[in-house]
């Protein structure tokens, strides 16, 4: 049969990093500084990808665009832009800049589908919050790391 798993087995998986690692993390042996802002941006854009595709399908289904297939093209195009932003998120600020552009374009879809404004405002508010808090967490982490003694 299967070995008995105890609660202690799972706790050991989430142990603190060894003293030689400067960054506290759930993955004790990973290295390098990971941006919380970019991680949060990726999460928001990932969920927004689903919503954008659904908005495109809704525009197609309701026939709010002429030709009708334009809704599919708009949703698909914005979805592709989100995928590109997710792909470049780790490289500089390009992913973040694309994220801002995506949110502006998502708000513009309200011209064709007015209720998309509600969804666009919710996601834009979430995006702004994640950008502000993520940047604050990254600054606080950098300040904390600067106070830590350098390892060997």
């Amino acid at each position: 049969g299967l070995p008995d798993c105890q609660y202690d087995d799972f706790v050991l998986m989430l142990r603190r990093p060894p003293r030689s690692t400067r960054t506290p993390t759930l993955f004790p042996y990973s290295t390098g500084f990971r941006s919380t802002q970019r991680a949060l941006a990726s999460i928001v854009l990932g969920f927004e990808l689903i919503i954008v595709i659904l908005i495109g399908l809704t525009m197609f289904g309701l026939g709010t665009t002429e030709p009708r297939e334009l809704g599919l093209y708009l949703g698909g195009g914005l979805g592709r832009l989100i995928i590109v932003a997710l792909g470049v998120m780790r490289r500089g600020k390009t992913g973040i800049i694309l994220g801002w552009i995506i949110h502006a374009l998502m708000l513009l879809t309200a011209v064709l589908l007015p209720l998309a404004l509600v969804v666009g405002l919710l996601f834009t508010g979430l995006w702004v919050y994640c950008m502000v808090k993520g940047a604050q967490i990254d600054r606080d982490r950098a300040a904390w790391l600067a106070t830590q003694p350098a390892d060997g």
Side-chain angles (χ1 to χ4, degrees):
L2 294 172
D4 291 332
C5 289
Q6 302 247 342
Y7 175 75
D8 296 336
D9 295 334
F10 296 106
V11 173
L12 290 176
M13 293 168 63
L14 299 175
R15 67 184 181 271
R16 294 191 57 79
R19 295 299 275 166
S20 62
T21 302
R22 293 181 60 185
T23 306
T25 177
L26 288 177
F27 305 101
Y29 302 107
S30 66
T31 59
F33 181 78
R34 303 215 192 284
S35 170
T36 302
Q37 184 184 46
R38 289 186 194 138
L40 292 173
S42 295
I43 292 168
V44 172
L45 287 177
F47 282 114
E48 200 162 359
L49 176 61
I50 298 165
I51 299 302
V52 162
I53 291 170
L54 291 175
I55 287 175
L57 290 171
T58 302
M59 285 192 287
F60 172 74
L62 294 176
T64 60
T65 57
E66 190 58 45
R68 190 174 182 154
E69 294 80 20
L70 184 60
L72 295 176
Y73 297 137
L74 292 173
L78 198 51
R80 284 186 181 100
L81 187 59
I82 291 173
I83 291 170
V84 169
L86 288 169
V88 299
M89 192 60 70
R90 292 181 151 215
R91 296 183 208 142
K93 292 286 185 181
T94 306
I96 301 291
I97 293 168
L98 283 175
W100 285 107
I101 293 169
I102 289 164
H103 282 90
L105 292 173
M106 187 171 176
L107 289 172
L108 283 175
T109 61
V111 172
L112 300 171
L113 187 66
L115 285 177
L117 181 63
V118 174
V119 176
L121 288 173
L122 287 172
F123 271 98
T124 301
L126 182 60
W127 176 262
V128 169
Y129 179 79
C130 288
M131 292 299 98
V132 171
K133 286 310 237 183
Q136 179 185 7
I137 291 168
D138 287 343
R139 280 191 309 272
D140 291 347
R141 183 184 312 153
W144 179 82
L145 286 174
T147 64
Q148 300 302 306
D151 291 331

